[in-house]
Amino acid sequence: MDQQKVDILISSSVWDPRPWVEGLSKSSWVGNVHVWPTEADLSNVEALFVWKPLADGVIDRLPNIKWISSLGAGVDHLMTDSQIPRHISITRIVDPFLARDMTNYVIMGLMMHQRSMLSHMKHQKSKIWERITYKPLKVGVMGLGALGRHLSEKLVSLGFEVFGYSRTRKTLDGVTCYDETNRNTFLSQTEVLVNLLPVTPQTTDILDASLFQKLTKGAFLINVARGNHLVENDLMEALDSEHLSGALLDVFRDEPLPINNLLWEHPKVTITPHVASVTTPSSAIALLLDNLKRLRGKEPLLHTVDIRKGY
Ligand code: NAP
Ligand code: GLV
């Protein structure tokens, strides 16, 4: 084995692995790039790149594994996987394109809601000229990490009143920031709630009936983080009772969303298939290669996950 080069295994059950293989293979730091499933000898593989979930038995085939990276921002698929030894470094993607695309998606959803765009589209079909008024909105962003922070700053520059919520209190220009000690104050002002939290034991099911009740009447939900944050029945009840006015959902407990899930047909729900922000391989590969050099140089890896916190 060339001592400088690192052998890599890619396990991607959702995305096409080819752009990753092609991009990584161009680097002189990279040796063999394998794609799971494979019968090849994987005993020299030191880095595993995963987009979710990891098949059973993968880690058993990697006696020399030193580093695992999620190919997305989220790491919930790795945190809950008991086959991963706790001493292995786990990193994730923090990337300007990922933040840009998430911000653009949320702004799209927010604008469509603020400007009643779905109603205008329905009216056009029946040639109805109805001028629907709109008002400024107060937006609450749950999660002020790489994505929530970028979004909040852009929303401020677009003229929205923005509230932010995170585990540790942040200071962000133009954003009123809250933490767990004053969560109710955050919620009681929020007219559009954007969820950008990671899934952890503390945040699972956080979007439930009691949280919805604390939001302003008529509030709108945008869930772009994970399906496990949302109690689906509680959302449908809050919509049916008209406490909430609508929801834009990109992520679900079960993906693909099962055909018989009632959310599909709910008149106040808009669904997209986990496309709010998809990692751009060419950009993320630069980060992976940077970390690969750090691995070789025995330097700390970038964007390491804190396993105790779970994100
Ligand atoms: P991040 O940088 O890890 O930020 C997480 C934020 O959540 C931090 O501000 C953190 O607080 C806060 N937080 C964590 N636990 C909390 C708790 N119990 N109470 C309050 N706040 C808490 O994550 P990110 O890169 O912004 O990504 C966020 C999530 O977006 C990902 O985990 C992923 O699930 C989702 N995502 C979805 C898509 C999509 O296409 N739908 C794409 C990319 C990402 P501190 O700052 O105090 O630590
Ligand atoms: C997508 O869901 C991500 O976590 O990057």
Side-chain angles (χ1 to χ4, degrees):
M1 169 172 72
D2 181 333
Q3 290 304 307
Q4 277 305 314
K5 289 184 189 270
V6 176
D7 279 10
I8 295 168
L9 174 66
I10 296 176
S11 166
S12 170
S13 50
V14 182
W15 299 334
D16 179 359
R18 283 172 297 186
W20 298 93
V21 176
E22 281 163 27
L24 289 163
S25 301
K26 287 182 190 146
S27 165
S28 58
W29 288 82
V30 172
N32 296 310
V33 184
H34 302 281
V35 176
W36 187 268
T38 173
E39 294 301 316
D41 173 12
L42 301 178
S43 57
N44 286 333
V45 167
E46 293 176 78
L48 169 62
F49 300 159
V50 189
W51 192 241
K52 50 180 256 168
L54 191 56
D56 282 345
V58 174
I59 298 292
D60 290 343
R61 297 270 308 278
L62 308 175
N64 212 11
I65 184 72
K66 296 191 173 57
W67 163 41
I68 300 178
S69 181
S70 169
L71 289 181
V75 288
D76 39 298
H77 53 299
L78 300 175
M79 292 297 104
T80 49
D81 191 327
S82 58
Q83 64 180 313
I84 299 175
R86 286 184 70 85
H87 67 271
I88 303 279
S89 300
I90 298 182
T91 61
R92 67 192 194 94
I93 301 297
V94 176
D95 173 72
F97 286 14
L98 202 58
R100 176 202 65 187
D101 293 354
M102 178 57 82
T103 292
N104 287 347
Y105 176 98
V106 173
I107 289 171
M108 171 198 70
L110 183 56
M111 296 292 190
M112 288 194 57
H113 166 63
Q114 186 190 36
R115 300 310 192 97
S116 304
M117 200 58 203
L118 295 180
S119 299
H120 286 305
M121 287 162 76
K122 269 192 212 125
H123 290 169
Q124 183 182 350
K125 285 206 173 89
S126 309
K127 301 183 180 170
I128 293 171
W129 182 271
E130 185 181 330
R131 299 180 70 248
I132 306 172
T133 53
Y134 60 88
K135 63 180 183 80
L137 289 174
K138 296 176 180 166
V139 184
V141 180
M142 291 185 96
L144 293 175
L147 303 183
R149 213 170 36 237
H150 186 271
L151 171 67
S152 301
E153 286 166 354
K154 295 290 180 212
L155 290 177
V156 168
S157 71
L158 288 175
F160 288 95
E161 192 171 344
V162 184
F163 305 97
Y165 171 77
S166 53
R167 201 177 48 81
T168 53
R169 180 92 63 103
K170 300 286 181 284
T171 307
L172 284 177
D173 270 0
V175 181
T176 312
C177 293
Y178 299 90
D179 59 23
E180 281 159 292
T181 59
N182 41 28
R183 187 165 95 169
N184 289 350
T185 315
F186 163 79
L187 293 171
S188 66
Q189 302 173 84
T190 290
E191 293 171 321
V192 175
L193 182 69
V194 181
N195 177 33
L196 273 169
L197 293 169
V199 167
T200 66
Q202 289 73 41
T203 65
T204 299
D205 293 338
I206 193 168
L207 301 174
D208 67 357
S210 77
L211 179 144
F212 296 143
Q213 276 314 312
K214 289 174 186 132
L215 295 171
T216 311
K217 187 167 166 47
F220 187 85
L221 172 70
I222 300 182
N223 187 22
V224 276
R226 283 292 180 267
N228 285 355
H229 288 127
L230 176 66
V231 181
E232 293 177 358
N233 283 337
D234 287 6
L235 171 65
M236 286 188 275
E237 277 172 25
L239 292 168
D240 294 342
S241 70
E242 299 194 350
H243 184 67
L244 295 190
S245 60
L248 170 60
L249 308 176
D250 183 58
V251 286
F252 302 89
R253 239 160 240 271
D254 294 323
E255 293 183 5
L257 185 62
I259 297 292
N260 60 0
N261 190 301
L262 295 175
L263 287 170
W264 276 118
E265 288 174 17
H266 198 289
K268 294 180 180 168
V269 173
T270 303
I271 285 172
T272 54
H274 202 147
V275 290
S277 183
V278 181
T279 312
T280 304
S282 56
S283 178
I285 282 169
L287 167 64
L288 293 170
L289 291 175
D290 190 354
N291 263 342
L292 202 130
K293 290 175 206 166
R294 288 166 173 269
L295 182 76
R296 263 292 165 267
K298 297 195 175 5
E299 289 170 55
L301 302 183
L302 298 174
H303 310 305
T304 305
V305 174
D306 181 338
I307 294 176
R308 285 160 309 162
K309 284 197 296 183
Y311 67 98

